[in-house]
Amino acid sequence: MRTVSIWALIMMLLFGSCSAAGASSGSSGDGLPIDVKAPQNVAVQWLEGNDSPTTMRLSFSLDPELSNALIAIDQAREFGLLESMLAKYGATDVYLNIQVDWALDDVNDPVSGWHYNKYWDDPTGNGLGLDEDYHYRYSDWDIVEWGLNNASETVQEYWIMRGVPDGDRWNGIPENGTPGVKDQLRPDQYEYYDDNVHIDFTEHTAYFRVRFVATAVMESEDGIKYLHKFTEWSDVCGYGKDVAKVEPVTEADLATAPVITNLRLTDEEFNGQPVVAYTLTVPEELAEKASQAAAYGGSIRIQTEARVKGDAEWTSLGLDWVTSGEIKGDLVYLLKEGETIVDGSKVEIRCRYFCDQSGIDETIYSPWSDVLTFETTEIKDDPKPTPTAVPDEPDENKKDDKKEEKKDKCSLCGFCPQPLGLCIFIWILIAVVILAVVIVIIVLKKKKEKQS
C-alpha cells in the first residue's frame, strides 16, 4: 500500500511555518492545502435488478496528486500534526466529499433534468443541501455529501439510484420544500409497484455527473464555520437507451506491462523481516480501464512476485490496488522453513496487472514487468522455542539490555535518543515554530514603532 513519509509531512510543516513567518503575520483563512481536480474516468453500470430495480454502480478515478495529498492529510491527522499543518490556512481540519447529480432522458428537462440547485453549495452555512430553516432541498437520489471510500485507492465505487419505499423518500415533504424522487420523474418514465420504482432502461436513459467538495473547518471565537471549494463537474456518463453500454475489460486492454521504478529496501519490518518497495506509474489509459472494470463489478490490481536470484520459482508478495505511488512487499514470504537468506543476497522483483469482473469467469493478466534486482538484508527463519516443563532461568542482563534498547528506540523516527522523552525532530519543529513566532513579533513591533 502506498504511504507518505511522516518526515515529509514534518518538512512540509516546517517549510509552511517559515514561509508564513516571512510572508505574513496572519492566516489567509481562504485557502486549502490541496489542489482538487474533478473526478476522472466516470463510468456507470446498471446492476440488472440485483439490488433494487434501478440501482446503478458508479465508479470514477482520483487524480494521483490528489490521492497523495489526501493520504498525507490522513497521516498528519493520525500523528496529531494536521491542525498545526493547517494553521496558516486558518483551518483546523480538512476533508473531501463527493456530489452526484443525475437526470433521466433529457438533462435540460425542468422535471427530470439535472437536479443540482443552489443549496448544494451551502449558501446558508447550515450545511450542504440545507436551506435557511435546515430543511433538506434534495431527494434520496441526489448525492450531496458522501465521503470517499479510501483515499489510497485510485478507483472509487458507489451504488446509487437505489430503490425508495412509498414514504417521504419517494413522495418528498412538500411543506419543507424537500423533493421526493417522484417529484423528479415524469409519469411516463416509470412504474411504481411492490414498494419500488421501476424504469425500463431499454426505453429510457439515466445520466450522471460527479464533482468533489473540499471542506475546511474554520474555528474562531465566533464559532465553527465551513469553507467549501467545489470542482468542475466531471464528464457525463450514462446508462440506457441512448448511451453505449460499458463493456468489460478485455485482454487487449491489459496488453502493456506495468512500469516500476525506484526499487529499494525500506527501513521497515514485517514479522521481523525486511520490506521492499517500488514506485508504480499508472498511465491514464489504465486508470480509465480500472474505473471501467469497477463499473462492471470488478477491479484491476497489481500482483508482485519475488525470488532469490538463481531460484527457479517465483513467490507472490501479495496484491495491491492499482494506484500511482509506492507499492510494498513483505519479504518474509520468500523464506522457506529452516532456511536463511543471507545478508547481501540478490532478490529479483516483477509484477503484472490482473483483472477480474463480475459475471466473467476468465481472469485477465498483463505481461510481466521488467525484472528488477536489489540486495536484501538477512531473512532468517527463527521460530520461538517450545517451552519445556522446567524453563531455563532468564538472563537478566539480556533482558535489561533489551529493555534499554526498546526504551532508547524512538517510536517516531526509530533512531534518535528521544531527549526529554520527545523525538529530536519534534524538538526541531518546536524550535522553528517558536523562532517563527519571535520573528513575527519583532516585525510587528518594528512596524508599530515606525508608525508611531
Side-chain angles (χ1 to χ4, degrees):
M1 193 64 75
R2 179 177 40 156
T3 59
V4 178
S5 170
I6 187 62
W7 300 120
L9 291 175
I10 290 178
M11 291 309 296
M12 288 167 57
L13 181 56
L14 289 173
F15 179 79
S17 300
C18 293
S19 299
S24 172
S25 61
S27 301
S28 63
D30 58 0
L32 292 169
I34 51 177
D35 180 23
V36 185
K37 298 179 181 178
Q40 302 171 346
N41 307 312
V42 184
V44 71
Q45 180 74 6
W46 180 46
L47 292 186
E48 300 183 354
N50 288 327
D51 177 60
S52 78
T54 53
T55 302
M56 299 277 179
R57 181 191 292 111
L58 178 77
S59 61
F60 58 86
S61 61
L62 300 178
D63 174 75
E65 291 183 3
L66 171 60
S67 186
N68 282 331
L70 293 173
I71 292 171
I73 287 171
D74 285 345
Q75 291 200 353
R77 185 182 289 110
E78 179 183 351
F79 284 93
L81 298 175
L82 183 60
E83 191 167 339
S84 298
M85 194 167 116
L86 297 175
K88 71 171 183 173
Y89 300 96
T92 57
D93 200 358
V94 61
Y95 51 88
L96 196 72
N97 286 315
I98 66 164
Q99 294 186 331
V100 183
D101 196 6
W102 66 281
L104 195 65
D105 296 332
D106 180 1
V107 298
N108 296 314
D109 188 275
V111 175
S112 62
W114 294 128
H115 303 298
Y116 160 80
N117 59 56
K118 66 179 183 179
Y119 294 107
W120 291 36
D121 298 339
D122 189 19
T124 65
N126 291 340
L128 297 168
L130 299 180
D131 65 15
E132 296 80 356
D133 298 317
Y134 293 91
H135 295 145
Y136 295 103
R137 302 302 290 268
Y138 58 91
S139 81
D140 207 65
W141 282 5
D142 302 335
I143 310 305
V144 176
E145 190 177 8
W146 279 12
L148 290 181
N149 294 322
N150 190 331
S152 66
E153 295 177 10
T154 296
V155 177
Q156 304 287 310
E157 178 186 322
Y158 301 85
W159 286 14
I160 60 173
M161 213 170 174
R162 304 180 78 175
V164 287
D166 190 6
D168 291 345
R169 294 163 62 189
W170 172 243
N171 300 297
I173 310 176
E175 61 270 25
N176 292 343
T178 301
V181 173
K182 181 180 180 179
D183 300 317
Q184 299 174 323
L185 296 170
R186 293 190 175 277
D188 61 344
Q189 293 177 320
Y190 70 91
E191 292 182 73
Y192 195 94
Y193 56 88
D194 294 338
D195 212 30
N196 253 315
V197 58
H198 299 255
I199 296 174
D200 184 355
F201 291 109
T202 64
E203 297 294 330
H204 301 283
T205 305
Y207 297 97
F208 304 93
R209 59 181 182 176
V210 190
R211 71 176 182 176
F212 289 127
V213 185
T215 300
V217 181
M218 323 289 284
E219 297 185 38
S220 67
E221 295 178 355
D222 299 327
I224 299 177
K225 294 183 179 179
Y226 298 91
L227 169 71
H228 305 293
K229 283 191 174 182
F230 302 87
T231 67
E232 298 294 326
W233 289 103
S234 68
D235 292 338
V236 175
C237 68
Y239 181 90
K241 175 186 175 184
D242 298 322
V243 176
K245 185 179 178 181
V246 174
E247 296 296 332
V249 175
T250 65
E251 190 174 354
D253 295 325
L254 293 186
T256 303
V259 176
I260 60 175
T261 56
N262 193 29
L263 180 64
R264 63 185 181 84
L265 197 64
T266 72
D267 56 1
E268 299 177 31
E269 288 185 349
F270 175 74
N271 282 355
Q273 309 294 358
V275 175
V276 69
Y278 62 82
T279 300
L280 175 68
T281 301
V282 179
E284 176 60 28
E285 296 79 10
L286 188 77
E288 181 180 353
K289 295 303 176 183
S291 182
Q292 181 177 325
Y296 224 87
S299 64
I300 296 179
R301 287 178 281 176
I302 188 81
Q303 177 185 18
T304 304
E305 290 189 345
R307 68 181 178 186
V308 177
K309 193 169 185 178
D311 287 355
E313 295 183 0
W314 291 89
T315 299
S316 175
L317 299 186
L319 307 172
D320 288 272
W321 298 106
V322 169
T323 178
S324 287
E326 191 173 74
I327 304 292
K328 294 183 180 179
D330 303 320
L331 297 181
V332 64
Y333 298 114
L334 283 177
L335 202 57
K336 298 172 184 174
E337 188 175 354
E339 179 186 77
T340 296
I341 300 174
V342 300
D343 185 27
S345 295
K346 294 187 179 299
V347 176
E348 296 176 320
I349 287 281
R350 68 177 185 177
C351 64
R352 67 178 176 180
Y353 299 121
F354 83 96
C355 174
D356 53 10
Q357 298 165 100
S358 177
I360 299 176
D361 295 333
E362 181 184 4
T363 299
I364 302 168
Y365 297 93
S366 76
W368 288 103
S369 68
D370 292 339
V371 175
L372 302 184
T373 305
F374 69 97
E375 289 187 0
T376 183
T377 54
E378 183 182 65
I379 310 174
K380 185 177 181 181
D381 186 9
D382 188 19
K384 295 181 180 179
T386 303
T388 58
V390 181
D392 296 333
E393 290 188 11
D395 187 332
E396 295 296 331
N397 291 330
K398 287 186 177 179
K399 187 175 180 182
D400 291 344
D401 289 344
K402 288 183 179 180
K403 280 186 176 181
E404 189 64 27
E405 181 182 347
K406 186 174 182 181
K407 180 181 177 182
D408 288 342
K409 185 177 180 181
C410 176
S411 61
L412 192 57
C413 71
F415 60 83
C416 85
Q418 293 181 283
L420 297 181
L422 284 178
C423 176
I424 192 169
F425 288 94
I426 297 299
W427 284 116
I428 294 173
L429 174 62
I430 293 171
V432 172
V433 172
I434 292 174
L435 179 60
V437 172
V438 171
I439 292 173
V440 170
I441 292 173
I442 293 174
V443 169
L444 291 176
K445 185 176 179 181
K446 287 184 177 180
K447 185 176 179 180
K448 187 174 180 181
E449 290 175 349
K450 187 175 180 182
Q451 290 175 345
S452 299

